């Protein structure tokens, strides 16, 4: 589909991007700045509740837009890649883990500001949200 859309043949595609792995990384970069860009906006919300709501709303909206997204590349890419793509699988795992860390940092800030109760397990809250999102993606 990609070669057809670009009007080139398969060897030209690899000449343009180097190999499948580099092409995938390019697609992943685009994915993070386009379909998944709702995450950046969600993290700027004024309260932890608004952050969580914006993340879930953005994710569900992304999943429902069948003209653009077909599942979650960060989750689906890890589930469907073979042994030859172990580096990609690891990279996707790091991306998922960094999303949890970013959420935890945002919730830590919310707790320091008094938006979340003292003693809130921000890491567990971030993991919970990420786990639900991964489940929705699958």
């Amino acid at each position: 589909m990609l070669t057809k859309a670009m009007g080139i043949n398969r060897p030209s595609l690899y000449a343009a991007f180097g190999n499948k792995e580099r092409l995938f990384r390019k697609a992943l970069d685009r994915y993070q700045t386009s379909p998944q860009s709702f995450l950046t906006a969600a993290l700027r919300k004024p309260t932890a509740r608004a952050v969580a709501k914006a993340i879930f709303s953005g994710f569900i909206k992304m999943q429902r837009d069948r003209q653009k997204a077909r599942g979650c590349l960060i989750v689906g890419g890890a589930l469907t890649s073979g042994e030859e793509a172990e580096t990609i699988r690891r990279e996707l795992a790091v991306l998922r883990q960094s999303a949890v860390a970013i959420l935890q940092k945002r919730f830590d800030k919310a707790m320091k500001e008094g938006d979340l109760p003292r003693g809130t397990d921000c890491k567990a809250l971030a993991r919970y949200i990420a786990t639900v999102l991964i489940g929705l993606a699958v």
Side-chain angles (χ1 to χ4, degrees):
M1 288 171 45
L2 184 57
T3 55
K4 185 177 178 181
M6 293 176 70
I8 60 175
N9 60 24
R10 187 178 217 117
S12 297
L13 177 68
Y14 292 126
F17 293 100
N19 59 32
K20 286 181 185 180
E21 189 173 313
R22 286 177 60 197
L23 174 59
F24 182 81
R25 283 197 168 91
K26 201 73 155 155
L28 188 57
D29 290 344
R30 176 136 166 78
Y31 179 76
Q32 290 176 296
T33 59
S34 193
Q36 224 182 19
S37 62
F38 68 87
L39 285 173
T40 304
L43 292 168
R44 289 190 211 116
K45 297 292 182 184
T47 65
R49 181 183 181 98
V51 168
K53 183 177 180 180
I55 287 172
F56 284 120
S57 296
F59 188 82
I60 290 168
K61 182 179 178 184
M62 180 184 81
Q63 295 303 311
R64 292 183 57 156
D65 186 353
R66 292 296 177 206
Q67 297 302 315
K68 294 182 182 172
R70 299 261 189 238
C72 177
L73 182 60
I74 295 172
V75 173
L79 295 173
T80 60
S81 58
E83 288 181 23
E84 70 280 355
E86 183 58 31
T87 57
I88 294 293
R89 262 202 317 267
R90 277 185 266 145
E91 186 175 331
L92 293 171
V94 167
L95 284 173
R96 290 188 305 275
Q97 291 165 0
S98 71
V100 171
I102 290 166
L103 275 173
Q104 178 183 348
K105 184 177 176 181
R106 177 61 183 88
F107 293 146
D108 285 338
K109 179 179 181 252
M111 188 171 59
K112 286 176 188 165
E113 293 172 347
D115 179 43
L116 288 174
R118 287 263 173 237
T120 297
D121 187 340
C122 295
K123 185 174 187 175
L125 180 57
R127 278 187 178 152
Y128 174 76
I129 288 174
T131 300
V132 172
L133 291 174
I134 289 170
L136 289 170
V138 173

